């Protein structure tokens, strides 16, 4: 058996960050920026009003009160998207709508609620200071400012800013296309009744959705039979169309574990027995320069193996600096025991934070590598080094699975 860290290092050596490409901003959600973005335009581009009301010279409103209004002529109306026909002179006002440019000569806005119509004139019911409700040019972003830096994960707010400064594309890392296939003659796809000895394929869906949750682009490579030719064909199709390929099943010590046999024949693959439980067997290597992960078939093992070997490396391929799951320290609410076997155990737990800000952990269900229910109700993997585990009240390190990958 080899240590977890050694296996992880072997995998990570072969995973390279994808080359950055020019990406349309409407396809950039969740992608990592690969350039420094400077604003070519100021936001707002011109001084404008934050309120519907009247553009005024502040000095003209001096002394205005509800019981003794100042009455001035309304000489124009400025809608958002239009400009004033001429500068505002002393003793005049212009009707103005939110977002419309401040006319030359005006220095303040009085909101409509503080006015009363009076035919072609308007009564101003309050005094306003210069700058009132005016949004100056560059108030949000000054032209030429560096606004975003490489490594930024683009969310809706970033994309809105990029749209507002007129960027059509950005240089970023696209999502790696990750192909997923399941292998096994016992597996059934779809709603058909099970024949004796058959089970339903669940790993393909869990792995495809784990890819999606990690911000990657999942590609379904199908359910492949335990047949060397079919497996080789599916692998070659996968590496020709994807940035990485994940298989599940067929990498253990069974007589029909053909994935391992095929990979060993076609490429430079390492088969590892990793000192962990679950997910001891792992096959990894490059086929036509594309990384291929051969994950074990047991449903929990395949998920834990993805977490420990594939997830962070695949996220680094798309430039994510926050590739790793966060780890927390929790207090065991109940004994989380194990036997000495020289391995590190990754026990499925449910963690919650109590009002004092302390994390508590309890088992999320049966711990067999076939018992997927415990994975469904887990939000953490407790890391139990070789030994007896922990008693209630002792602290335990937990890989927190709840952090949202798509931000
Ligand atoms: P294997 O690694 O192919 O020997 O499979 C180990 C165990 O996982 C066996 O009990 C398989 O039936 C089961 N298994 C393999 N692939 C899948 C799958 N895609 N979905 C559900 N169970 C699977
Ligand atoms: Mg199998």
């Amino acid at each position: 058996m080899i240590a977890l860290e050694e296996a992880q290092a072997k995998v990570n050596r072969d995973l390279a960050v994808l080359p950055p490409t020019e990406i349309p901003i409407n396809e950039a959600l969740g992608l990592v920026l690969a350039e420094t973005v400077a604003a070519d335009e100021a936001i707002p581009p011109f001084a404008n009003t934050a309120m519907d009301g009247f553009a005024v010279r502040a000095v003209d409103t001096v002394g205005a009160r509800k019981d003794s209004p100042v009455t001035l002529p309304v000489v124009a109306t400025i809608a958002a998207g239009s400009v004033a026909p001429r500068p505002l002179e002393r003793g005049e006002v212009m009707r103005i709508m939110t977002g419309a440019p401040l006319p030359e000569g005006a220095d303040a806005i009085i909101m409509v609620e503080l006015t009363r119509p009076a035919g072609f004139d308007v009564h101003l019911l309050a005094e306003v200071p210069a700058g009132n409700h005016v949004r100056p040019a560059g108030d949000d972003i000054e032209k030429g400012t560096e606004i975003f830096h490489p490594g930024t994960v683009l969310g809706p707010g970033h994309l809105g800013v990029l749209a507002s400064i007129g960027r059509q594309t950005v240089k970023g890392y696209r999502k790696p296309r990750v192909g997923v296939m399941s292998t096994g003659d016992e597996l059934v796809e779809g709603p058909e009744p099970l024949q004796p000895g058959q089970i339903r394929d669940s790993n393909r869906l869990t792995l495809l959705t784990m890819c999606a949750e990690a911000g990657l682009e999942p590609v379904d490579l199908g359910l492949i039979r335990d047949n060397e030719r079919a497996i080789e064909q599916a692998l070659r199709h996968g590496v020709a169309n994807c940035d990485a390929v994940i298989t599940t099943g067929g990498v253990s010590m069974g007589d029909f574990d053909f994935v391992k046999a095929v990979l060993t024949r076609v490429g430079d693959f390492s088969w590892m027995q990793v000192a962990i439980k679950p997910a001891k067997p792992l096959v990894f290597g490059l086929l036509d320069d594309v990384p291929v992960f051969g994950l074990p078939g047991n449903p929990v093992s395949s998920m834990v193996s993805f977490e420990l070997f594939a997830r962070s490396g695949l996220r680094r391929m798309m430039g994510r600096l926050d590739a790793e799951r966060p780890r927390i320290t929790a207090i065991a609410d109940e004994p989380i025991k194990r036997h000495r076997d020289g391995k590190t155990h990754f026990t499925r737990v449910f963690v919650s934070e109590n009002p004092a800000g302390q994390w508590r952990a309890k088992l999320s269900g049966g711990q067999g590598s076939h018992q997927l229910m415990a994975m469904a109700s887990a939000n953490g993997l407790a890391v139990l080094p070789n030994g007896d585990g922990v008693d209630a009240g002792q602290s335990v390190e937990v890989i927190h699975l709840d952090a949202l990958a798509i931000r």
Side-chain angles (χ1 to χ4, degrees):
M1 285 195 301
I2 63 170
L4 172 64
E5 295 72 23
E6 191 182 327
Q8 286 171 325
K10 200 183 245 322
V11 170
N12 288 331
R13 264 202 302 278
D14 280 336
L15 299 182
V17 180
L18 297 174
T21 54
E22 207 61 41
I23 296 165
I25 62 167
N26 60 351
E27 294 170 15
L29 178 67
L31 301 189
V32 178
L33 196 62
E35 63 167 322
T36 298
V37 175
D40 292 336
E41 297 175 359
I43 305 298
F46 49 85
N48 67 92
T49 172
M51 291 283 177
D52 296 320
F54 293 86
V56 298
R57 292 172 178 250
V59 290
D60 288 342
T61 69
V62 169
R65 283 199 316 272
K66 208 170 169 188
D67 50 5
S68 66
V70 168
T71 303
L72 296 175
V74 182
V75 298
T77 296
I78 318 160
S82 70
V83 291
R86 63 169 175 83
L88 184 80
E89 302 296 338
R90 276 218 63 163
E92 297 176 342
V93 303
M94 291 183 185
R95 180 87 174 103
I96 190 167
M97 313 307 159
T98 304
L102 206 66
E104 201 186 317
D107 60 3
I109 301 296
I110 180 164
M111 63 179 184
V112 71
E113 292 87 338
L114 295 177
T115 67
R116 218 170 39 226
F120 293 114
D121 294 343
V122 66
H123 298 310
L124 307 181
L125 308 180
E127 198 174 304
V128 293
N132 196 52
H133 298 315
V134 174
R135 305 189 286 207
D139 194 28
D140 189 14
I141 302 168
E142 283 184 43
K143 187 175 173 174
T145 329
E146 289 186 358
I147 48 174
F148 302 136
H149 296 279
T152 303
V153 181
L154 297 169
H158 301 101
L159 300 176
V161 168
L162 290 169
S164 71
I165 61 168
R167 286 291 293 254
Q168 307 297 315
T169 64
V170 281
K171 191 180 272 194
Y173 303 98
R174 64 183 175 81
K175 296 180 179 196
R177 289 166 55 82
V178 184
V180 175
M181 72 181 79
S182 47
T183 68
D185 279 345
E186 75 280 30
L187 300 175
V188 172
E189 175 172 36
E192 303 96 83
L194 295 177
Q195 300 303 315
Q198 291 188 325
I199 60 164
R200 299 190 192 279
D201 175 10
S202 59
N203 293 356
R204 195 150 41 102
L205 183 59
T206 56
L207 292 168
L208 286 166
T209 50
M210 286 177 98
C211 287
E213 187 267 354
L216 308 163
E217 186 181 328
V219 178
D220 189 350
L221 298 177
L223 165 55
I224 313 299
R225 295 301 161 197
D226 286 325
N227 167 302
E228 285 207 35
R229 247 221 337 246
I231 293 172
E232 178 170 350
Q233 209 171 29
L235 280 166
R236 293 205 181 278
H237 169 75
V239 298
N241 291 287
C242 301
D243 301 297
V245 169
I246 295 176
T247 70
T248 140
V251 296
S252 311
M253 301 296 195
D255 290 346
F256 306 100
D257 285 339
F258 292 129
V259 173
K260 198 161 80 176
V262 171
L263 289 176
T264 308
R265 179 161 52 72
V266 298
D268 179 19
F269 279 79
S270 321
W271 333 352
M272 294 169 258
Q273 297 292 319
V274 189
I276 57 172
K277 187 178 176 182
K280 183 170 71 156
L282 173 71
V283 178
F284 179 79
L286 298 178
L287 175 58
D288 298 340
D289 290 332
V290 176
V292 178
F293 297 81
L295 307 187
N298 272 307
V300 176
S301 305
S302 67
M303 291 184 78
V304 170
S305 192
F306 179 90
E307 278 293 336
L308 297 178
F309 298 109
R311 188 179 188 277
S312 57
L314 294 173
R315 279 161 65 83
R316 274 192 293 274
M317 284 175 78
M318 62 182 292
R320 296 283 302 222
L321 304 176
D322 59 337
E324 304 282 343
R325 294 279 199 189
R327 291 186 178 224
I328 56 177
T329 300
I331 306 296
D333 260 343
E334 60 185 334
I336 306 180
K337 304 308 278 185
R338 50 156 298 170
H339 299 297
R340 280 175 191 278
D341 55 7
K343 301 179 196 164
T344 302
H345 287 203
F346 291 88
T347 302
R348 278 68 76 202
V349 294
F350 180 77
V351 291
S352 54
E353 203 175 8
N354 70 16
Q358 185 185 55
W359 286 98
R360 314 287 303 192
K362 57 178 193 253
L363 294 168
S364 67
Q367 295 292 324
S369 59
H370 59 298
Q371 288 175 303
L372 201 49
M373 272 304 288
M375 208 64 209
S377 28
N379 61 0
L381 295 174
V383 185
L384 300 177
N386 193 28
D388 308 317
V390 296
D391 290 320
Q394 288 187 310
S395 62
V396 61
E397 184 184 20
V398 177
I399 300 174
H400 197 200
L401 304 180
D402 251 1
L404 261 191
I406 303 173
R407 251 167 288 155

